[in-house]
Amino acid sequence: MSELIHAVLNSEEKSDLRSFISELRSQEKGYLLRNDILNVYSEFCSKHQKEQPFSLLGKLIYYTQEIIQDSTNLCFIFRPKIASQEVYRLTEDLSVESISVDELLDLRDRLVNRFHPQEGDLLELDFGPFYDYTPTIRDPKNIGKGVQYLNRYLSSKLFQDPKEWLEGLFNFLRLHQYNGIQLLINNNIQTQQQLSEQVKKAIGFVSDRPSDEPYEEFRFQLQMMGFEPGWGNTASRVRESLEILDELIDSPDPQTLEAFISRIPMIFKIVLVSAHGWFGQEGVLGRPDTGGQVVYVLDQAKTLEQQLQEDAILAGLEKLNVEPKVIILSRLIPNSDGTLCNQRLEKVHGTENAWILRVPLREFNPNMTQNWISRFEFWPYLETFAIDSEKELLAEFQGKPDLIVGNYTDGNLVAFLLARRLKVTQCNIAHALEKSKYLFSNLYWNDLEDKYHFSLQFTADLIAMNAANFIISSTYQEIVGTPDSVGQYESYKCFTMPDLYHVVNGIELFSPKFNVVPPGVNENAYFPYTRHEDRVESDRLRIEEMLFTLDDSSQIFGKLDDPNKRPLFSMARLDRIKNMTGLAECFGKSPELQEHFNLILIAGKLRVEESGDNEERDEIIKLYNIIEQYNLQGKIRWLGVRLSKGQSGEVYRVIADHQGVFVQPALFEAFGLTILEAMISGLPTFATQFGGPLEIIQNKVNGFYINPTNLEETADKIIEFVLKCEQNPNYWNEVSQQAINRVYSTYTWKIHTTKLLSLARIYGFWNFNSKENREDLLRYIETLFYLIYKPRAQAILEEHKHR
């Protein structure tokens, strides 16, 4: 960027830059973000009749992510490419100098504490040195493809130093047992050289047998050669596995390595942590903090258990009575509002051995711990919850789990605490990182602390994401954003929490621990509206009545004047980020939308007194005000109902029966399961352009992007669609079918779980064979936990004890 800055300063545009800086100085804001900067520049160009895109200055502004005004100087934060940042100070006389990360963080602190500047140095957190000795990806476009890179790296090591790595592979194969029964190789093979020889001998042996001959019929002969169960269930499967190993030994490459490691039977017991509770199979989706995460984890648990069973059978372990087990770990809530969240153990429907295990919080104050606790208040209980959960898990599994998967910040922190104690592979899934959802949440954390406790949230994120062996994200941009926007994980790279600490390097974005593995859709509950043979007519009629005509003031607000209009439909919890009130306002401001559609919302509670969440209460009041302000009575139905997955699936399909559309108006959406649910049902979908939907939807092909902050533009896009439908009656069907095709090709749980288990095995192999010493990193992380996180959590606990 330095060259581009000097090119501007050495050109005729230097005077334009000076004028633009004057425009910036006239802004009341001391801190301008990219949108602010582009708006100021657009106004500047209009005012001075400048051509924006083609100038050097225009190019410079395009790469500018932030501008901070500091007395007489301006600080420009540039993002020349994804996952990189450069910072320069521009003085009044237009001299330029590069500034360090430390100086940038000090400047941000001064912006917040201009009247009470920080005295002395602040704690600096730098995770960079711990990644110096690990492989890192070079090209930003390969971020999120960590396992592909790791496979290339490992296979190159096998090729460069075959003796050392073959010894590692040999020792790794000797590790595996199930309930004390040896798998893969036994003591008849004593060296890696012997392994290579015996593999060729065994291949010759099984090649002479009928391909479908069951493993048990030649098991004894293989054991004499040194091979125990785990290679396959038939002669052809055993041969395939041994041939892949033989190829790996002779000429290693990334595909062969992944194909082989993915076959190794090494994962039988999995914990999925969804800590903050309100986790069940019926009646729990209406509570803020839960909805999408509960759906995700339940579906993941079902398909993981099924995949583990399939893998065990394919590996030839059926006669060993292998019983894979998946446990969803959550908290037990005694006052469970009529749900099963007060039951210790609940079997997951449709599975043989997947369970919800609920562990109660210690009763520091029963008024708190016997009730649901918001995710923003949950932090003081996580350490003791993890300690108590460890005992419960060891009892349920009759041993240690093989893999621990954390969900959301609190679940990821519990996963870290458990994995650290049990020495088990840890995987993180963020679902959403709150830091990027709330503007300037780290800068002004002190002002928000009583409500959100961001100091604990962001510290827990740093701990868990750096401790994890691997991280799953639903989209690429969740990690590093787009050319125009910073990713959620990227926002942890460098930031300050004034008066608490500076993060100089919070996460290595180029680490191979990041992998993009999108979730799927529960295809039993969500399927195309055209599959009439799979729909239950009585359910359809009941949902139809509920959506359009049922008079039930306890759960439904609003009676439609004309129920035959197309439905404009959305379903989400009522909070600021999900922005259901923004959609209602968009509808209220557009007479054309009201002419073509009825607005139907399934969202949270109907009454303030029924909600225990501050943000939901605010949104309830706001929604009623919008209905009143725009006189929407007769044009809107607001349903405060709890739906099972089967019912919500039929809701989408009934909306599709009426050729409606689905709108997801979130201000930011990490991924968007409701988008997949709507699309697979056959609904044309309009979704926020901020976040994951950019990767799900192909704009104007199988759905549409909207900017939920621009209400007029959003309304125009929906109106343009419906007018096209009126001109071409088949247009709705075309978009509907494209949406269905998109989900089936890319977003199924089968694809997800196959990839997740492959990752777990490969990272397990990497951790066993790599020479990187994680202990120093984990000690650093523990220091952060005990010196920053724990005392702050304890302070909240003391407050909770007196509520």
Side-chain angles (χ1 to χ4, degrees), residues 27 32 76 162-164 183 222 245 275 322 345 356 381 418 449 463 472 492 545 644 660 704 715 739 781:
Q27 302 295 310
L32 290 92
F76 281 72
K163 186 175 179 182
E164 181 185 345
L183 303 178
L222 278 183
L245 175 58
V322 169
L345 205 59
I356 302 169
Y381 307 99
L418 286 169
E449 190 69 355
I463 289 169
I472 282 179
Y492 284 79
E545 182 186 22
S644 67
F704 305 87
I781 287 169

mmCIF file of all heavy atoms in Angstrom, residues 27 32 76 162-164 183 222 245 275 322 345 356 381 418 449 463 472 492 545 644 660 704 715 739 781:
data_model
loop_
_atom_site.group_PDB
_atom_site.id
_atom_site.type_symbol
_atom_site.label_atom_id
_atom_site.label_comp_id
_atom_site.label_asym_id
_atom_site.label_seq_id
_atom_site.Cartn_x
_atom_site.Cartn_y
_atom_site.Cartn_z
ATOM 1 N N GLN A 27 -16.465 15.580 9.504
ATOM 2 C CA GLN A 27 -17.344 14.551 10.069
ATOM 3 C C GLN A 27 -17.283 14.598 11.590
ATOM 4 O O GLN A 27 -16.237 14.842 12.179
ATOM 5 C CB GLN A 27 -16.915 13.150 9.592
ATOM 6 C CG GLN A 27 -16.911 12.973 8.094
ATOM 7 C CD GLN A 27 -18.301 13.070 7.494
ATOM 8 O OE1 GLN A 27 -19.225 12.414 7.957
ATOM 9 N NE2 GLN A 27 -18.436 13.888 6.467
ATOM 10 N N LEU A 32 -14.084 6.201 11.618
ATOM 11 C CA LEU A 32 -14.915 5.894 10.456
ATOM 12 C C LEU A 32 -14.618 4.485 9.956
ATOM 13 O O LEU A 32 -13.463 4.116 9.760
ATOM 14 C CB LEU A 32 -14.664 6.899 9.327
ATOM 15 C CG LEU A 32 -15.180 8.329 9.563
ATOM 16 C CD1 LEU A 32 -14.089 9.175 10.185
ATOM 17 C CD2 LEU A 32 -15.632 8.941 8.250
ATOM 18 N N PHE A 76 -4.793 5.694 8.777
ATOM 19 C CA PHE A 76 -5.471 4.897 7.751
ATOM 20 C C PHE A 76 -5.140 3.416 7.964
ATOM 21 O O PHE A 76 -3.964 3.041 7.975
ATOM 22 C CB PHE A 76 -4.997 5.307 6.357
ATOM 23 C CG PHE A 76 -5.627 6.562 5.830
ATOM 24 C CD1 PHE A 76 -5.290 7.807 6.345
ATOM 25 C CD2 PHE A 76 -6.578 6.502 4.816
ATOM 26 C CE1 PHE A 76 -5.864 8.970 5.863
ATOM 27 C CE2 PHE A 76 -7.162 7.654 4.325
ATOM 28 C CZ PHE A 76 -6.812 8.892 4.834
ATOM 29 N N PRO A 162 11.328 -40.758 4.737
ATOM 30 C CA PRO A 162 10.435 -41.916 4.828
ATOM 31 C C PRO A 162 10.656 -42.762 6.074
ATOM 32 O O PRO A 162 9.708 -43.265 6.657
ATOM 33 C CB PRO A 162 10.735 -42.711 3.557
ATOM 34 C CG PRO A 162 12.042 -42.193 3.053
ATOM 35 C CD PRO A 162 12.149 -40.778 3.513
ATOM 36 N N LYS A 163 11.889 -42.898 6.515
ATOM 37 C CA LYS A 163 12.160 -43.775 7.659
ATOM 38 C C LYS A 163 11.465 -43.260 8.920
ATOM 39 O O LYS A 163 10.766 -44.000 9.625
ATOM 40 C CB LYS A 163 13.668 -43.879 7.886
ATOM 41 C CG LYS A 163 14.024 -44.888 8.979
ATOM 42 C CD LYS A 163 15.532 -45.057 9.109
ATOM 43 C CE LYS A 163 15.837 -46.058 10.223
ATOM 44 N NZ LYS A 163 17.293 -46.239 10.432
ATOM 45 N N GLU A 164 11.652 -41.973 9.203
ATOM 46 C CA GLU A 164 11.067 -41.388 10.424
ATOM 47 C C GLU A 164 9.541 -41.430 10.382
ATOM 48 O O GLU A 164 8.880 -41.800 11.354
ATOM 49 C CB GLU A 164 11.547 -39.939 10.590
ATOM 50 C CG GLU A 164 10.987 -39.284 11.842
ATOM 51 C CD GLU A 164 11.375 -37.811 11.948
ATOM 52 O OE1 GLU A 164 12.304 -37.379 11.218
ATOM 53 O OE2 GLU A 164 10.750 -37.096 12.747
ATOM 54 N N LEU A 183 -6.752 -53.556 17.481
ATOM 55 C CA LEU A 183 -7.189 -53.370 16.098
ATOM 56 C C LEU A 183 -5.965 -53.207 15.193
ATOM 57 O O LEU A 183 -4.873 -52.858 15.650
ATOM 58 C CB LEU A 183 -8.094 -52.143 15.981
ATOM 59 C CG LEU A 183 -9.359 -52.104 16.861
ATOM 60 C CD1 LEU A 183 -10.115 -50.790 16.660
ATOM 61 C CD2 LEU A 183 -10.273 -53.288 16.560
ATOM 62 N N LEU A 222 -5.269 -63.764 8.521
ATOM 63 C CA LEU A 222 -4.720 -62.395 8.564
ATOM 64 C C LEU A 222 -4.045 -62.110 9.900
ATOM 65 O O LEU A 222 -3.000 -61.437 9.945
ATOM 66 C CB LEU A 222 -5.826 -61.369 8.306
ATOM 67 C CG LEU A 222 -6.214 -61.099 6.849
ATOM 68 C CD1 LEU A 222 -7.263 -60.010 6.769
ATOM 69 C CD2 LEU A 222 -5.002 -60.701 6.005
ATOM 70 N N LEU A 245 -2.657 -48.485 1.821
ATOM 71 C CA LEU A 245 -1.496 -48.400 2.715
ATOM 72 C C LEU A 245 -0.213 -48.706 1.959
ATOM 73 O O LEU A 245 0.812 -48.023 2.144
ATOM 74 C CB LEU A 245 -1.671 -49.362 3.889
ATOM 75 C CG LEU A 245 -0.482 -49.475 4.855
ATOM 76 C CD1 LEU A 245 -0.116 -48.117 5.455
ATOM 77 C CD2 LEU A 245 -0.783 -50.480 5.966
ATOM 78 N N ALA A 275 -23.440 -26.003 25.802
ATOM 79 C CA ALA A 275 -23.437 -25.885 27.264
ATOM 80 C C ALA A 275 -24.608 -25.103 27.851
ATOM 81 O O ALA A 275 -25.158 -25.488 28.874
ATOM 82 C CB ALA A 275 -22.118 -25.253 27.714
ATOM 83 N N VAL A 322 -19.120 -53.611 18.558
ATOM 84 C CA VAL A 322 -18.803 -52.184 18.632
ATOM 85 C C VAL A 322 -20.102 -51.384 18.671
ATOM 86 O O VAL A 322 -20.983 -51.579 17.839
ATOM 87 C CB VAL A 322 -17.945 -51.756 17.419
ATOM 88 C CG1 VAL A 322 -17.833 -50.237 17.347
ATOM 89 C CG2 VAL A 322 -16.568 -52.381 17.506
ATOM 90 N N LEU A 345 -30.946 -37.689 31.389
ATOM 91 C CA LEU A 345 -30.571 -38.410 30.178
ATOM 92 C C LEU A 345 -31.790 -38.559 29.279
ATOM 93 O O LEU A 345 -32.860 -38.958 29.739
ATOM 94 C CB LEU A 345 -30.026 -39.796 30.565
ATOM 95 C CG LEU A 345 -29.055 -40.481 29.606
ATOM 96 C CD1 LEU A 345 -27.818 -39.640 29.359
ATOM 97 C CD2 LEU A 345 -28.648 -41.850 30.167
ATOM 98 N N ILE A 356 -28.796 -37.141 24.945
ATOM 99 C CA ILE A 356 -28.592 -35.818 25.542
ATOM 100 C C ILE A 356 -28.303 -36.057 27.017
ATOM 101 O O ILE A 356 -29.136 -36.620 27.741
ATOM 102 C CB ILE A 356 -29.832 -34.920 25.390
ATOM 103 C CG1 ILE A 356 -30.211 -34.756 23.919
ATOM 104 C CG2 ILE A 356 -29.576 -33.553 26.018
ATOM 105 C CD1 ILE A 356 -31.575 -34.103 23.700
ATOM 106 N N TYR A 381 -20.169 -20.263 35.532
ATOM 107 C CA TYR A 381 -20.496 -21.651 35.854
ATOM 108 C C TYR A 381 -19.739 -22.667 34.993
ATOM 109 O O TYR A 381 -19.858 -23.873 35.208
ATOM 110 C CB TYR A 381 -22.010 -21.874 35.677
ATOM 111 C CG TYR A 381 -22.829 -20.865 36.448
ATOM 112 C CD1 TYR A 381 -23.363 -19.744 35.805
ATOM 113 C CD2 TYR A 381 -23.037 -21.000 37.820
ATOM 114 C CE1 TYR A 381 -24.092 -18.798 36.513
ATOM 115 C CE2 TYR A 381 -23.766 -20.056 38.533
ATOM 116 C CZ TYR A 381 -24.290 -18.959 37.873
ATOM 117 O OH TYR A 381 -24.996 -18.016 38.579
ATOM 118 N N LEU A 418 -12.397 -29.680 29.093
ATOM 119 C CA LEU A 418 -12.509 -31.144 29.075
ATOM 120 C C LEU A 418 -11.354 -31.786 28.300
ATOM 121 O O LEU A 418 -10.751 -32.764 28.753
ATOM 122 C CB LEU A 418 -13.844 -31.560 28.452
ATOM 123 C CG LEU A 418 -15.101 -31.365 29.299
ATOM 124 C CD1 LEU A 418 -16.348 -31.566 28.454
ATOM 125 C CD2 LEU A 418 -15.105 -32.338 30.489
ATOM 126 N N GLU A 449 -20.478 -3.917 29.537
ATOM 127 C CA GLU A 449 -20.109 -5.072 30.354
ATOM 128 C C GLU A 449 -21.260 -5.593 31.213
ATOM 129 O O GLU A 449 -21.466 -6.798 31.333
ATOM 130 C CB GLU A 449 -18.904 -4.716 31.231
ATOM 131 C CG GLU A 449 -18.271 -5.904 31.939
ATOM 132 C CD GLU A 449 -17.553 -6.869 30.992
ATOM 133 O OE1 GLU A 449 -17.610 -6.684 29.768
ATOM 134 O OE2 GLU A 449 -16.936 -7.829 31.492
ATOM 135 N N ILE A 463 -9.160 -18.120 24.007
ATOM 136 C CA ILE A 463 -8.698 -19.362 24.633
ATOM 137 C C ILE A 463 -9.073 -20.566 23.781
ATOM 138 O O ILE A 463 -8.230 -21.399 23.425
ATOM 139 C CB ILE A 463 -9.306 -19.495 26.050
ATOM 140 C CG1 ILE A 463 -8.663 -18.471 27.010
ATOM 141 C CG2 ILE A 463 -9.145 -20.910 26.590
ATOM 142 C CD1 ILE A 463 -9.374 -18.357 28.344
ATOM 143 N N ILE A 472 -14.059 -25.823 12.752
ATOM 144 C CA ILE A 472 -14.978 -25.935 11.612
ATOM 145 C C ILE A 472 -15.744 -24.624 11.486
ATOM 146 O O ILE A 472 -16.300 -24.121 12.459
ATOM 147 C CB ILE A 472 -15.964 -27.100 11.823
ATOM 148 C CG1 ILE A 472 -15.270 -28.422 11.511
ATOM 149 C CG2 ILE A 472 -17.203 -26.940 10.972
ATOM 150 C CD1 ILE A 472 -16.147 -29.616 11.718
ATOM 151 N N TYR A 492 -10.433 -11.136 15.369
ATOM 152 C CA TYR A 492 -9.676 -11.445 16.593
ATOM 153 C C TYR A 492 -8.170 -11.344 16.384
ATOM 154 O O TYR A 492 -7.401 -11.540 17.321
ATOM 155 C CB TYR A 492 -10.023 -12.853 17.085
ATOM 156 C CG TYR A 492 -11.364 -12.933 17.764
ATOM 157 C CD1 TYR A 492 -12.539 -12.991 17.026
ATOM 158 C CD2 TYR A 492 -11.468 -12.920 19.156
ATOM 159 C CE1 TYR A 492 -13.781 -13.054 17.646
ATOM 160 C CE2 TYR A 492 -12.700 -12.969 19.788
ATOM 161 C CZ TYR A 492 -13.856 -13.038 19.018
ATOM 162 O OH TYR A 492 -15.075 -13.086 19.643
ATOM 163 N N GLU A 545 -54.358 -23.573 8.459
ATOM 164 C CA GLU A 545 -55.275 -22.811 9.314
ATOM 165 C C GLU A 545 -54.491 -21.915 10.281
ATOM 166 O O GLU A 545 -54.820 -20.739 10.461
ATOM 167 C CB GLU A 545 -56.164 -23.779 10.107
ATOM 168 C CG GLU A 545 -57.189 -23.074 10.995
ATOM 169 C CD GLU A 545 -57.957 -24.031 11.886
ATOM 170 O OE1 GLU A 545 -57.451 -25.153 12.144
ATOM 171 O OE2 GLU A 545 -59.050 -23.665 12.335
ATOM 172 N N SER A 644 -42.388 -27.994 16.407
ATOM 173 C CA SER A 644 -41.433 -29.091 16.231
ATOM 174 C C SER A 644 -40.798 -28.935 14.851
ATOM 175 O O SER A 644 -41.274 -28.163 14.009
ATOM 176 C CB SER A 644 -42.146 -30.440 16.325
ATOM 177 O OG SER A 644 -43.024 -30.589 15.213
ATOM 178 N N GLY A 660 -45.410 -18.270 -2.029
ATOM 179 C CA GLY A 660 -44.867 -17.170 -1.246
ATOM 180 C C GLY A 660 -43.361 -17.073 -1.380
ATOM 181 O O GLY A 660 -42.740 -17.766 -2.200
ATOM 182 N N PHE A 704 -31.804 -14.549 -3.680
ATOM 183 C CA PHE A 704 -31.506 -13.128 -3.876
ATOM 184 C C PHE A 704 -30.863 -12.551 -2.621
ATOM 185 O O PHE A 704 -31.259 -12.879 -1.504
ATOM 186 C CB PHE A 704 -32.803 -12.353 -4.180
ATOM 187 C CG PHE A 704 -33.572 -12.903 -5.354
ATOM 188 C CD1 PHE A 704 -34.493 -13.932 -5.178
ATOM 189 C CD2 PHE A 704 -33.357 -12.416 -6.632
ATOM 190 C CE1 PHE A 704 -35.202 -14.462 -6.247
ATOM 191 C CE2 PHE A 704 -34.051 -12.942 -7.713
ATOM 192 C CZ PHE A 704 -34.974 -13.963 -7.527
ATOM 193 N N ALA A 715 -37.317 -3.722 -0.447
ATOM 194 C CA ALA A 715 -38.697 -3.785 -0.954
ATOM 195 C C ALA A 715 -38.705 -3.849 -2.483
ATOM 196 O O ALA A 715 -39.443 -4.637 -3.082
ATOM 197 C CB ALA A 715 -39.490 -2.586 -0.455
ATOM 198 N N ALA A 739 -33.340 -23.504 -6.143
ATOM 199 C CA ALA A 739 -33.055 -23.477 -4.705
ATOM 200 C C ALA A 739 -32.952 -24.897 -4.157
ATOM 201 O O ALA A 739 -32.031 -25.235 -3.390
ATOM 202 C CB ALA A 739 -34.145 -22.693 -3.970
ATOM 203 N N ILE A 781 -2.316 -20.425 27.379
ATOM 204 C CA ILE A 781 -3.773 -20.307 27.377
ATOM 205 C C ILE A 781 -4.322 -20.449 28.795
ATOM 206 O O ILE A 781 -5.226 -19.716 29.207
ATOM 207 C CB ILE A 781 -4.378 -21.383 26.443
ATOM 208 C CG1 ILE A 781 -4.112 -21.003 24.986
ATOM 209 C CG2 ILE A 781 -5.870 -21.554 26.684
ATOM 210 C CD1 ILE A 781 -4.415 -22.105 23.999
#
